[in-house]
Amino acid sequence: MDTKKLAGDKNYQRQLFFKRYGIVFIMFGMILLLTFTTENFLSYNNILNVLSTISINGCIALGMCIVITAGGIDLTVGALLAWGSIVAGLVLQSTESIALACLAAVITSALMGLVTGVMIAQFNLFPFVATLAMQLVVRGLATALSGGASFPIAVSAFTKIGLGKVLNVIPIPAVILLALIIIAYILMHWTKFGRYVYAIGGNKNAAIASGVNVYWVTVWTYVISGLFTGISSLIMTAKINASQPNIGVGYETDAIAACVIGGTSFAGGVSTIPGTVVGIIIIGLIYNGMNLIGVQSYWQTVCKGLLIVLAVLLDKAVNKKR
């Protein structure tokens, strides 16, 4: 038996193992570190706080993962948080129907994603430019609808979406996030749509040659991103019990960071929903740990930026080897 070949195979298997599961070890390492360096990390209230907090970014990141896998980017998600918040608040003021408010916020957010997707697919615009422009448009419309002012939610029962608990134990936002994780996993890993998303992100020309309808698959990725962000806007609005046109600033970077840390490639065609979930948890642990330690918010922003840079550099190195 060739010992060099055997050693090479073992080395390859080791590299493949750490490539697939290294981020999971990092997550558990962070949990252990925070457990031993802070007093309240494993407390019941703090765990509930972490679950509730990551739900907002988590819903957005799942949609962002689908968009990036197809070779795009969605910078409108932060503005869509404000849009969904204002729409839900205005509907609640006029009808006091929680169901109608939720539907209005989610559907109109998905329609904004539809507009963005059509702009990119129809006119072949760069996703960064198109979504940056739509970010300004959506936030401007949200500000115009609200008159530039915040207002409290008229229906107190609406707050259960962000603050309620299932069986008095599990936060409702965490249950919503879990449901979206299952939906996103089925879409990306068990359906023809998911295979098409990976194909477009991997090689758009090859996908076209294979008969993939690139136009509608691209559009649907942005619709899904808008829909998931609309759901996130309901959680956020319910948590703060107010509709605000200025919320969501910078949330697109949190979502992108969670995706890239979880192994989603900016080059497209490479991602996993479980990896994105781990990325979501890591971002939540970083913020929570820094808050417990007493790190100022501006240093948290610096750390988030550095994390994105490191994740992109790692992604570049992996793609170069591939």
Side-chain angles (χ1 to χ4, degrees), residues 257-296:
C259 293
V260 177
I261 290 170
T264 303
S265 173
F266 266 127
V270 178
S271 72
T272 64
I273 295 301
T276 301
V277 173
V278 175
I280 292 164
I281 295 172
I282 287 176
I283 292 293
L285 290 175
I286 289 171
Y287 283 151
N288 183 253
M290 288 185 175
N291 287 330
L292 292 175
I293 295 170
V295 177
Q296 296 294 332

PDB file of all heavy atoms in Angstrom, residues 257-296:
ATOM      1  N   ALA A 257     -23.164  39.130   7.083  1.00  0.00           N
ATOM      2  CA  ALA A 257     -22.134  38.537   7.955  1.00  0.00           C
ATOM      3  C   ALA A 257     -22.523  37.126   8.373  1.00  0.00           C
ATOM      4  O   ALA A 257     -21.696  36.199   8.348  1.00  0.00           O
ATOM      5  CB  ALA A 257     -21.931  39.416   9.187  1.00  0.00           C
ATOM      6  N   ALA A 258     -23.789  36.927   8.746  1.00  0.00           N
ATOM      7  CA  ALA A 258     -24.247  35.595   9.157  1.00  0.00           C
ATOM      8  C   ALA A 258     -24.113  34.600   8.014  1.00  0.00           C
ATOM      9  O   ALA A 258     -23.693  33.450   8.230  1.00  0.00           O
ATOM     10  CB  ALA A 258     -25.698  35.669   9.628  1.00  0.00           C
ATOM     11  N   CYS A 259     -24.459  35.032   6.801  1.00  0.00           N
ATOM     12  CA  CYS A 259     -24.366  34.142   5.636  1.00  0.00           C
ATOM     13  C   CYS A 259     -22.922  33.755   5.343  1.00  0.00           C
ATOM     14  O   CYS A 259     -22.608  32.572   5.157  1.00  0.00           O
ATOM     15  CB  CYS A 259     -24.971  34.812   4.405  1.00  0.00           C
ATOM     16  SG  CYS A 259     -26.751  35.060   4.498  1.00  0.00           S
ATOM     17  N   VAL A 260     -22.040  34.766   5.296  1.00  0.00           N
ATOM     18  CA  VAL A 260     -20.648  34.514   4.914  1.00  0.00           C
ATOM     19  C   VAL A 260     -19.931  33.691   5.979  1.00  0.00           C
ATOM     20  O   VAL A 260     -19.177  32.766   5.670  1.00  0.00           O
ATOM     21  CB  VAL A 260     -19.911  35.845   4.659  1.00  0.00           C
ATOM     22  CG1 VAL A 260     -18.444  35.603   4.335  1.00  0.00           C
ATOM     23  CG2 VAL A 260     -20.569  36.599   3.507  1.00  0.00           C
ATOM     24  N   ILE A 261     -20.180  34.007   7.250  1.00  0.00           N
ATOM     25  CA  ILE A 261     -19.589  33.222   8.338  1.00  0.00           C
ATOM     26  C   ILE A 261     -20.066  31.776   8.265  1.00  0.00           C
ATOM     27  O   ILE A 261     -19.313  30.838   8.542  1.00  0.00           O
ATOM     28  CB  ILE A 261     -19.949  33.841   9.703  1.00  0.00           C
ATOM     29  CG1 ILE A 261     -19.201  35.166   9.886  1.00  0.00           C
ATOM     30  CG2 ILE A 261     -19.598  32.890  10.854  1.00  0.00           C
ATOM     31  CD1 ILE A 261     -19.664  35.962  11.083  1.00  0.00           C
ATOM     32  N   GLY A 262     -21.313  31.572   7.842  1.00  0.00           N
ATOM     33  CA  GLY A 262     -21.876  30.234   7.730  1.00  0.00           C
ATOM     34  C   GLY A 262     -21.473  29.485   6.479  1.00  0.00           C
ATOM     35  O   GLY A 262     -21.977  28.389   6.233  1.00  0.00           O
ATOM     36  N   GLY A 263     -20.578  30.069   5.673  1.00  0.00           N
ATOM     37  CA  GLY A 263     -20.054  29.349   4.513  1.00  0.00           C
ATOM     38  C   GLY A 263     -20.664  29.716   3.179  1.00  0.00           C
ATOM     39  O   GLY A 263     -20.344  29.094   2.158  1.00  0.00           O
ATOM     40  N   THR A 264     -21.545  30.698   3.141  1.00  0.00           N
ATOM     41  CA  THR A 264     -22.107  31.148   1.864  1.00  0.00           C
ATOM     42  C   THR A 264     -21.052  31.936   1.098  1.00  0.00           C
ATOM     43  O   THR A 264     -20.464  32.875   1.633  1.00  0.00           O
ATOM     44  CB  THR A 264     -23.354  32.026   2.082  1.00  0.00           C
ATOM     45  OG1 THR A 264     -24.316  31.294   2.848  1.00  0.00           O
ATOM     46  CG2 THR A 264     -23.973  32.444   0.765  1.00  0.00           C
ATOM     47  N   SER A 265     -20.828  31.561  -0.153  1.00  0.00           N
ATOM     48  CA  SER A 265     -19.783  32.202  -0.952  1.00  0.00           C
ATOM     49  C   SER A 265     -20.334  33.409  -1.700  1.00  0.00           C
ATOM     50  O   SER A 265     -21.398  33.330  -2.321  1.00  0.00           O
ATOM     51  CB  SER A 265     -19.195  31.213  -1.954  1.00  0.00           C
ATOM     52  OG  SER A 265     -18.299  31.852  -2.835  1.00  0.00           O
ATOM     53  N   PHE A 266     -19.608  34.528  -1.661  1.00  0.00           N
ATOM     54  CA  PHE A 266     -20.001  35.703  -2.426  1.00  0.00           C
ATOM     55  C   PHE A 266     -19.925  35.440  -3.924  1.00  0.00           C
ATOM     56  O   PHE A 266     -20.543  36.147  -4.719  1.00  0.00           O
ATOM     57  CB  PHE A 266     -19.094  36.899  -2.082  1.00  0.00           C
ATOM     58  CG  PHE A 266     -19.663  37.777  -1.016  1.00  0.00           C
ATOM     59  CD1 PHE A 266     -18.921  38.084   0.108  1.00  0.00           C
ATOM     60  CD2 PHE A 266     -20.930  38.308  -1.132  1.00  0.00           C
ATOM     61  CE1 PHE A 266     -19.441  38.900   1.100  1.00  0.00           C
ATOM     62  CE2 PHE A 266     -21.461  39.125  -0.148  1.00  0.00           C
ATOM     63  CZ  PHE A 266     -20.717  39.426   0.973  1.00  0.00           C
ATOM     64  N   ALA A 267     -19.151  34.418  -4.309  1.00  0.00           N
ATOM     65  CA  ALA A 267     -19.050  34.065  -5.723  1.00  0.00           C
ATOM     66  C   ALA A 267     -20.316  33.371  -6.219  1.00  0.00           C
ATOM     67  O   ALA A 267     -20.531  33.230  -7.418  1.00  0.00           O
ATOM     68  CB  ALA A 267     -17.837  33.165  -5.950  1.00  0.00           C
ATOM     69  N   GLY A 268     -21.183  32.939  -5.289  1.00  0.00           N
ATOM     70  CA  GLY A 268     -22.421  32.263  -5.637  1.00  0.00           C
ATOM     71  C   GLY A 268     -22.236  30.763  -5.789  1.00  0.00           C
ATOM     72  O   GLY A 268     -21.127  30.266  -5.981  1.00  0.00           O
ATOM     73  N   GLY A 269     -23.346  30.049  -5.695  1.00  0.00           N
ATOM     74  CA  GLY A 269     -23.339  28.623  -5.933  1.00  0.00           C
ATOM     75  C   GLY A 269     -22.921  27.758  -4.761  1.00  0.00           C
ATOM     76  O   GLY A 269     -22.976  26.533  -4.853  1.00  0.00           O
ATOM     77  N   VAL A 270     -22.505  28.356  -3.660  1.00  0.00           N
ATOM     78  CA  VAL A 270     -22.042  27.598  -2.500  1.00  0.00           C
ATOM     79  C   VAL A 270     -22.714  28.130  -1.241  1.00  0.00           C
ATOM     80  O   VAL A 270     -22.542  29.306  -0.897  1.00  0.00           O
ATOM     81  CB  VAL A 270     -20.509  27.679  -2.339  1.00  0.00           C
ATOM     82  CG1 VAL A 270     -20.064  26.924  -1.096  1.00  0.00           C
ATOM     83  CG2 VAL A 270     -19.805  27.131  -3.573  1.00  0.00           C
ATOM     84  N   SER A 271     -23.473  27.279  -0.561  1.00  0.00           N
ATOM     85  CA  SER A 271     -24.102  27.666   0.709  1.00  0.00           C
ATOM     86  C   SER A 271     -24.818  26.451   1.284  1.00  0.00           C
ATOM     87  O   SER A 271     -25.075  25.478   0.568  1.00  0.00           O
ATOM     88  CB  SER A 271     -25.112  28.801   0.532  1.00  0.00           C
ATOM     89  OG  SER A 271     -26.273  28.330  -0.115  1.00  0.00           O
ATOM     90  N   THR A 272     -25.137  26.524   2.553  1.00  0.00           N
ATOM     91  CA  THR A 272     -26.034  25.554   3.179  1.00  0.00           C
ATOM     92  C   THR A 272     -26.891  26.312   4.184  1.00  0.00           C
ATOM     93  O   THR A 272     -26.409  27.266   4.821  1.00  0.00           O
ATOM     94  CB  THR A 272     -25.289  24.422   3.924  1.00  0.00           C
ATOM     95  OG1 THR A 272     -24.554  24.982   5.016  1.00  0.00           O
ATOM     96  CG2 THR A 272     -24.348  23.668   2.994  1.00  0.00           C
ATOM     97  N   ILE A 273     -28.116  25.915   4.317  1.00  0.00           N
ATOM     98  CA  ILE A 273     -28.992  26.548   5.306  1.00  0.00           C
ATOM     99  C   ILE A 273     -28.506  26.267   6.723  1.00  0.00           C
ATOM    100  O   ILE A 273     -28.470  27.180   7.568  1.00  0.00           O
ATOM    101  CB  ILE A 273     -30.453  26.094   5.110  1.00  0.00           C
ATOM    102  CG1 ILE A 273     -30.986  26.580   3.755  1.00  0.00           C
ATOM    103  CG2 ILE A 273     -31.337  26.638   6.234  1.00  0.00           C
ATOM    104  CD1 ILE A 273     -30.957  28.090   3.558  1.00  0.00           C
ATOM    105  N   PRO A 274     -28.098  25.017   7.067  1.00  0.00           N
ATOM    106  CA  PRO A 274     -27.560  24.788   8.412  1.00  0.00           C
ATOM    107  C   PRO A 274     -26.346  25.661   8.713  1.00  0.00           C
ATOM    108  O   PRO A 274     -26.199  26.151   9.842  1.00  0.00           O
ATOM    109  CB  PRO A 274     -27.173  23.302   8.393  1.00  0.00           C
ATOM    110  CG  PRO A 274     -28.096  22.692   7.402  1.00  0.00           C
ATOM    111  CD  PRO A 274     -28.242  23.733   6.333  1.00  0.00           C
ATOM    112  N   GLY A 275     -25.481  25.855   7.726  1.00  0.00           N
ATOM    113  CA  GLY A 275     -24.325  26.730   7.931  1.00  0.00           C
ATOM    114  C   GLY A 275     -24.745  28.156   8.220  1.00  0.00           C
ATOM    115  O   GLY A 275     -24.180  28.823   9.095  1.00  0.00           O
ATOM    116  N   THR A 276     -25.749  28.644   7.497  1.00  0.00           N
ATOM    117  CA  THR A 276     -26.262  29.994   7.737  1.00  0.00           C
ATOM    118  C   THR A 276     -26.854  30.114   9.133  1.00  0.00           C
ATOM    119  O   THR A 276     -26.687  31.141   9.801  1.00  0.00           O
ATOM    120  CB  THR A 276     -27.328  30.351   6.677  1.00  0.00           C
ATOM    121  OG1 THR A 276     -26.745  30.272   5.374  1.00  0.00           O
ATOM    122  CG2 THR A 276     -27.874  31.752   6.899  1.00  0.00           C
ATOM    123  N   VAL A 277     -27.543  29.066   9.585  1.00  0.00           N
ATOM    124  CA  VAL A 277     -28.109  29.071  10.942  1.00  0.00           C
ATOM    125  C   VAL A 277     -26.996  29.202  11.976  1.00  0.00           C
ATOM    126  O   VAL A 277     -27.108  29.971  12.945  1.00  0.00           O
ATOM    127  CB  VAL A 277     -28.938  27.792  11.197  1.00  0.00           C
ATOM    128  CG1 VAL A 277     -29.369  27.711  12.652  1.00  0.00           C
ATOM    129  CG2 VAL A 277     -30.153  27.759  10.286  1.00  0.00           C
ATOM    130  N   VAL A 278     -25.901  28.460  11.776  1.00  0.00           N
ATOM    131  CA  VAL A 278     -24.752  28.578  12.689  1.00  0.00           C
ATOM    132  C   VAL A 278     -24.183  29.989  12.645  1.00  0.00           C
ATOM    133  O   VAL A 278     -23.836  30.565  13.684  1.00  0.00           O
ATOM    134  CB  VAL A 278     -23.663  27.544  12.333  1.00  0.00           C
ATOM    135  CG1 VAL A 278     -22.424  27.748  13.193  1.00  0.00           C
ATOM    136  CG2 VAL A 278     -24.191  26.126  12.520  1.00  0.00           C
ATOM    137  N   GLY A 279     -24.110  30.573  11.449  1.00  0.00           N
ATOM    138  CA  GLY A 279     -23.641  31.956  11.323  1.00  0.00           C
ATOM    139  C   GLY A 279     -24.537  32.934  12.065  1.00  0.00           C
ATOM    140  O   GLY A 279     -24.054  33.879  12.708  1.00  0.00           O
ATOM    141  N   ILE A 280     -25.844  32.713  11.990  1.00  0.00           N
ATOM    142  CA  ILE A 280     -26.808  33.545  12.714  1.00  0.00           C
ATOM    143  C   ILE A 280     -26.551  33.481  14.216  1.00  0.00           C
ATOM    144  O   ILE A 280     -26.533  34.498  14.920  1.00  0.00           O
ATOM    145  CB  ILE A 280     -28.250  33.093  12.397  1.00  0.00           C
ATOM    146  CG1 ILE A 280     -28.602  33.387  10.943  1.00  0.00           C
ATOM    147  CG2 ILE A 280     -29.251  33.788  13.329  1.00  0.00           C
ATOM    148  CD1 ILE A 280     -29.837  32.647  10.458  1.00  0.00           C
ATOM    149  N   ILE A 281     -26.343  32.251  14.709  1.00  0.00           N
ATOM    150  CA  ILE A 281     -26.111  32.061  16.146  1.00  0.00           C
ATOM    151  C   ILE A 281     -24.806  32.730  16.573  1.00  0.00           C
ATOM    152  O   ILE A 281     -24.742  33.376  17.628  1.00  0.00           O
ATOM    153  CB  ILE A 281     -26.088  30.557  16.490  1.00  0.00           C
ATOM    154  CG1 ILE A 281     -27.469  29.940  16.240  1.00  0.00           C
ATOM    155  CG2 ILE A 281     -25.676  30.338  17.951  1.00  0.00           C
ATOM    156  CD1 ILE A 281     -27.502  28.431  16.354  1.00  0.00           C
ATOM    157  N   ILE A 282     -23.761  32.602  15.752  1.00  0.00           N
ATOM    158  CA  ILE A 282     -22.461  33.203  16.088  1.00  0.00           C
ATOM    159  C   ILE A 282     -22.568  34.720  16.183  1.00  0.00           C
ATOM    160  O   ILE A 282     -22.045  35.336  17.117  1.00  0.00           O
ATOM    161  CB  ILE A 282     -21.391  32.780  15.062  1.00  0.00           C
ATOM    162  CG1 ILE A 282     -21.014  31.318  15.283  1.00  0.00           C
ATOM    163  CG2 ILE A 282     -20.151  33.669  15.161  1.00  0.00           C
ATOM    164  CD1 ILE A 282     -20.034  30.774  14.269  1.00  0.00           C
ATOM    165  N   ILE A 283     -23.257  35.344  15.233  1.00  0.00           N
ATOM    166  CA  ILE A 283     -23.456  36.800  15.293  1.00  0.00           C
ATOM    167  C   ILE A 283     -24.205  37.175  16.566  1.00  0.00           C
ATOM    168  O   ILE A 283     -23.850  38.139  17.264  1.00  0.00           O
ATOM    169  CB  ILE A 283     -24.239  37.296  14.054  1.00  0.00           C
ATOM    170  CG1 ILE A 283     -23.387  37.159  12.796  1.00  0.00           C
ATOM    171  CG2 ILE A 283     -24.666  38.754  14.230  1.00  0.00           C
ATOM    172  CD1 ILE A 283     -22.181  38.060  12.744  1.00  0.00           C
ATOM    173  N   GLY A 284     -25.230  36.401  16.910  1.00  0.00           N
ATOM    174  CA  GLY A 284     -25.979  36.664  18.136  1.00  0.00           C
ATOM    175  C   GLY A 284     -25.129  36.503  19.375  1.00  0.00           C
ATOM    176  O   GLY A 284     -25.226  37.298  20.321  1.00  0.00           O
ATOM    177  N   LEU A 285     -24.265  35.480  19.401  1.00  0.00           N
ATOM    178  CA  LEU A 285     -23.376  35.249  20.546  1.00  0.00           C
ATOM    179  C   LEU A 285     -22.369  36.386  20.689  1.00  0.00           C
ATOM    180  O   LEU A 285     -22.041  36.790  21.813  1.00  0.00           O
ATOM    181  CB  LEU A 285     -22.645  33.916  20.384  1.00  0.00           C
ATOM    182  CG  LEU A 285     -23.486  32.638  20.511  1.00  0.00           C
ATOM    183  CD1 LEU A 285     -22.642  31.416  20.206  1.00  0.00           C
ATOM    184  CD2 LEU A 285     -24.099  32.543  21.905  1.00  0.00           C
ATOM    185  N   ILE A 286     -21.875  36.880  19.571  1.00  0.00           N
ATOM    186  CA  ILE A 286     -20.906  37.988  19.618  1.00  0.00           C
ATOM    187  C   ILE A 286     -21.538  39.218  20.264  1.00  0.00           C
ATOM    188  O   ILE A 286     -20.974  39.830  21.173  1.00  0.00           O
ATOM    189  CB  ILE A 286     -20.394  38.316  18.211  1.00  0.00           C
ATOM    190  CG1 ILE A 286     -19.476  37.187  17.710  1.00  0.00           C
ATOM    191  CG2 ILE A 286     -19.631  39.640  18.197  1.00  0.00           C
ATOM    192  CD1 ILE A 286     -19.096  37.310  16.254  1.00  0.00           C
ATOM    193  N   TYR A 287     -22.723  39.571  19.792  1.00  0.00           N
ATOM    194  CA  TYR A 287     -23.399  40.750  20.352  1.00  0.00           C
ATOM    195  C   TYR A 287     -23.748  40.553  21.820  1.00  0.00           C
ATOM    196  O   TYR A 287     -23.530  41.436  22.654  1.00  0.00           O
ATOM    197  CB  TYR A 287     -24.672  41.065  19.558  1.00  0.00           C
ATOM    198  CG  TYR A 287     -24.433  41.749  18.243  1.00  0.00           C
ATOM    199  CD1 TYR A 287     -25.303  41.577  17.172  1.00  0.00           C
ATOM    200  CD2 TYR A 287     -23.332  42.571  18.052  1.00  0.00           C
ATOM    201  CE1 TYR A 287     -25.096  42.203  15.958  1.00  0.00           C
ATOM    202  CE2 TYR A 287     -23.113  43.202  16.847  1.00  0.00           C
ATOM    203  CZ  TYR A 287     -23.994  43.017  15.802  1.00  0.00           C
ATOM    204  OH  TYR A 287     -23.774  43.647  14.613  1.00  0.00           O
ATOM    205  N   ASN A 288     -24.300  39.383  22.126  1.00  0.00           N
ATOM    206  CA  ASN A 288     -24.696  39.108  23.500  1.00  0.00           C
ATOM    207  C   ASN A 288     -23.490  39.074  24.422  1.00  0.00           C
ATOM    208  O   ASN A 288     -23.520  39.639  25.525  1.00  0.00           O
ATOM    209  CB  ASN A 288     -25.458  37.776  23.573  1.00  0.00           C
ATOM    210  CG  ASN A 288     -25.953  37.464  24.970  1.00  0.00           C
ATOM    211  OD1 ASN A 288     -25.427  36.592  25.648  1.00  0.00           O
ATOM    212  ND2 ASN A 288     -26.963  38.187  25.430  1.00  0.00           N
ATOM    213  N   GLY A 289     -22.415  38.410  23.983  1.00  0.00           N
ATOM    214  CA  GLY A 289     -21.200  38.337  24.798  1.00  0.00           C
ATOM    215  C   GLY A 289     -20.603  39.700  25.058  1.00  0.00           C
ATOM    216  O   GLY A 289     -20.179  40.011  26.176  1.00  0.00           O
ATOM    217  N   MET A 290     -20.570  40.541  24.037  1.00  0.00           N
ATOM    218  CA  MET A 290     -20.016  41.891  24.190  1.00  0.00           C
ATOM    219  C   MET A 290     -20.869  42.726  25.136  1.00  0.00           C
ATOM    220  O   MET A 290     -20.346  43.527  25.916  1.00  0.00           O
ATOM    221  CB  MET A 290     -19.894  42.574  22.825  1.00  0.00           C
ATOM    222  CG  MET A 290     -18.783  42.020  21.959  1.00  0.00           C
ATOM    223  SD  MET A 290     -18.589  42.952  20.429  1.00  0.00           S
ATOM    224  CE  MET A 290     -17.151  42.153  19.734  1.00  0.00           C
ATOM    225  N   ASN A 291     -22.177  42.555  25.055  1.00  0.00           N
ATOM    226  CA  ASN A 291     -23.065  43.276  25.973  1.00  0.00           C
ATOM    227  C   ASN A 291     -22.841  42.833  27.418  1.00  0.00           C
ATOM    228  O   ASN A 291     -22.817  43.664  28.336  1.00  0.00           O
ATOM    229  CB  ASN A 291     -24.522  43.066  25.580  1.00  0.00           C
ATOM    230  CG  ASN A 291     -24.920  43.834  24.331  1.00  0.00           C
ATOM    231  OD1 ASN A 291     -24.370  44.896  24.066  1.00  0.00           O
ATOM    232  ND2 ASN A 291     -25.843  43.299  23.573  1.00  0.00           N
ATOM    233  N   LEU A 292     -22.672  41.520  27.615  1.00  0.00           N
ATOM    234  CA  LEU A 292     -22.449  41.006  28.966  1.00  0.00           C
ATOM    235  C   LEU A 292     -21.100  41.469  29.527  1.00  0.00           C
ATOM    236  O   LEU A 292     -20.980  41.749  30.726  1.00  0.00           O
ATOM    237  CB  LEU A 292     -22.511  39.473  28.969  1.00  0.00           C
ATOM    238  CG  LEU A 292     -23.882  38.839  28.702  1.00  0.00           C
ATOM    239  CD1 LEU A 292     -23.757  37.327  28.607  1.00  0.00           C
ATOM    240  CD2 LEU A 292     -24.879  39.226  29.793  1.00  0.00           C
ATOM    241  N   ILE A 293     -20.104  41.535  28.653  1.00  0.00           N
ATOM    242  CA  ILE A 293     -18.778  41.969  29.090  1.00  0.00           C
ATOM    243  C   ILE A 293     -18.733  43.478  29.305  1.00  0.00           C
ATOM    244  O   ILE A 293     -17.943  43.980  30.115  1.00  0.00           O
ATOM    245  CB  ILE A 293     -17.706  41.529  28.067  1.00  0.00           C
ATOM    246  CG1 ILE A 293     -17.631  39.996  28.033  1.00  0.00           C
ATOM    247  CG2 ILE A 293     -16.339  42.091  28.405  1.00  0.00           C
ATOM    248  CD1 ILE A 293     -16.794  39.453  26.896  1.00  0.00           C
ATOM    249  N   GLY A 294     -19.602  44.210  28.602  1.00  0.00           N
ATOM    250  CA  GLY A 294     -19.645  45.658  28.746  1.00  0.00           C
ATOM    251  C   GLY A 294     -18.925  46.399  27.641  1.00  0.00           C
ATOM    252  O   GLY A 294     -18.512  47.550  27.809  1.00  0.00           O
ATOM    253  N   VAL A 295     -18.781  45.775  26.458  1.00  0.00           N
ATOM    254  CA  VAL A 295     -18.129  46.419  25.323  1.00  0.00           C
ATOM    255  C   VAL A 295     -19.083  47.448  24.718  1.00  0.00           C
ATOM    256  O   VAL A 295     -20.273  47.171  24.535  1.00  0.00           O
ATOM    257  CB  VAL A 295     -17.718  45.383  24.265  1.00  0.00           C
ATOM    258  CG1 VAL A 295     -17.096  46.056  23.049  1.00  0.00           C
ATOM    259  CG2 VAL A 295     -16.744  44.371  24.866  1.00  0.00           C
ATOM    260  N   GLN A 296     -18.560  48.625  24.414  1.00  0.00           N
ATOM    261  CA  GLN A 296     -19.385  49.692  23.847  1.00  0.00           C
ATOM    262  C   GLN A 296     -19.901  49.306  22.459  1.00  0.00           C
ATOM    263  O   GLN A 296     -19.278  48.522  21.737  1.00  0.00           O
ATOM    264  CB  GLN A 296     -18.582  50.992  23.753  1.00  0.00           C
ATOM    265  CG  GLN A 296     -18.143  51.551  25.098  1.00  0.00           C
ATOM    266  CD  GLN A 296     -19.326  52.007  25.942  1.00  0.00           C
ATOM    267  OE1 GLN A 296     -20.361  52.391  25.397  1.00  0.00           O
ATOM    268  NE2 GLN A 296     -19.181  51.962  27.255  1.00  0.00           N
TER     269      GLN A 296
END
